[in-house]
Amino acid sequence: MIFEAPFIAIRSFFEAGGNVLWAILVVTMLMWTLIIERIWFFRAVLPGEIDKRKQEWDQRQDQRSWRAQRIRALLISEISIQSRRYLKIIQVLMVLLPLLGLLGTVTGMIQVFNVMAVAGTSNARLMAGGVSAATIPTMAGLVAALSGYYFASWLQRRADAEIKKVSDLLVAH
């Protein structure tokens, strides 16, 4: 009984918001899955990758020639690619969420206009359902996008810092 109340509230929220809320939920879950994966990568995987590149560079006898500098650029580029993986996708998903909210607004307003066409303007209760279906997805899309904004910018700054760190580590002796 205690556990039913939250599920009933969530179900009624999704029913009031319309089908677009399901798309917002899926996109938000995908965005947060990628954000969590990137955080895990920076904390658990990347230090080992940087150490491997550092050891590979330190084992080279020639570190000053043109070829050695190209290999250094390759090692830095590999870390750059790994560090920036999924960041553009996260940013696209953040932009997509408010657009899905606007789609929910349009579909909700279509419901209001359909009610007005069928029942006239005298049935305020039916029109209110369409208005809630118009405003809830907008709010949900904006909140979901804002929830990932801080972490997306933090991940971008972290990737830039790690690339600079690798660039500073791989110096000629």
Side-chain angles (χ1 to χ4, degrees):
M1 290 294 178
I2 293 174
F3 299 111
E4 280 185 37
F7 292 114
I8 291 171
I10 292 170
R11 187 182 75 209
S12 63
F13 178 75
F14 275 90
E15 287 173 358
N19 291 333
V20 176
L21 276 182
W22 291 106
I24 291 172
L25 175 67
V26 168
V27 171
T28 303
M29 289 175 60
L30 178 60
M31 178 185 73
W32 274 100
T33 300
L34 293 175
I35 287 172
I36 291 169
E37 186 277 335
R38 290 285 84 194
I39 292 171
W40 172 78
F41 172 80
F42 282 122
R43 294 185 185 219
V45 176
L46 188 60
E49 292 294 321
I50 291 173
D51 287 343
K52 282 194 324 192
R53 300 312 186 283
K54 174 80 169 124
Q55 288 175 0
E56 188 176 336
W57 178 251
D58 288 342
Q59 289 174 356
R60 292 190 53 80
Q61 293 175 358
D62 173 30
Q63 294 182 346
R64 296 191 182 274
S65 70
W66 179 86
R67 185 171 192 273
Q69 291 305 310
R70 297 291 60 96
I71 291 172
R72 177 183 177 271
L74 172 72
L75 296 173
I76 294 169
S77 179
E78 288 173 349
I79 294 296
S80 175
I81 290 170
Q82 289 179 353
S83 296
R84 291 192 171 119
R85 182 173 289 144
Y86 305 130
L87 292 183
K88 292 293 182 193
I89 295 173
I90 292 169
Q91 292 170 352
V92 166
L93 294 175
M94 271 188 348
V95 170
L96 182 63
L97 284 165
L99 295 176
L100 286 172
L102 288 175
L103 177 65
T105 300
V106 171
T107 58
M109 292 312 293
I110 289 172
Q111 287 178 358
V112 171
F113 294 140
N114 282 340
V115 167
M116 288 173 63
V118 173
T121 58
S122 62
N123 195 340
R125 181 174 295 236
L126 286 176
M127 289 190 335
V131 170
S132 72
T135 56
I136 289 175
T138 305
M139 176 215 41
L142 289 173
V143 168
L146 287 175
S147 73
Y149 179 75
Y150 170 77
F151 289 98
S153 60
W154 179 81
L155 289 170
Q156 184 66 47
R157 286 191 312 269
R158 178 79 185 256
D160 293 342
E162 293 295 337
I163 294 164
K164 180 160 177 23
K165 175 179 159 186
V166 169
S167 179
D168 291 345
L169 277 176
L170 304 182
V171 294
H173 294 125

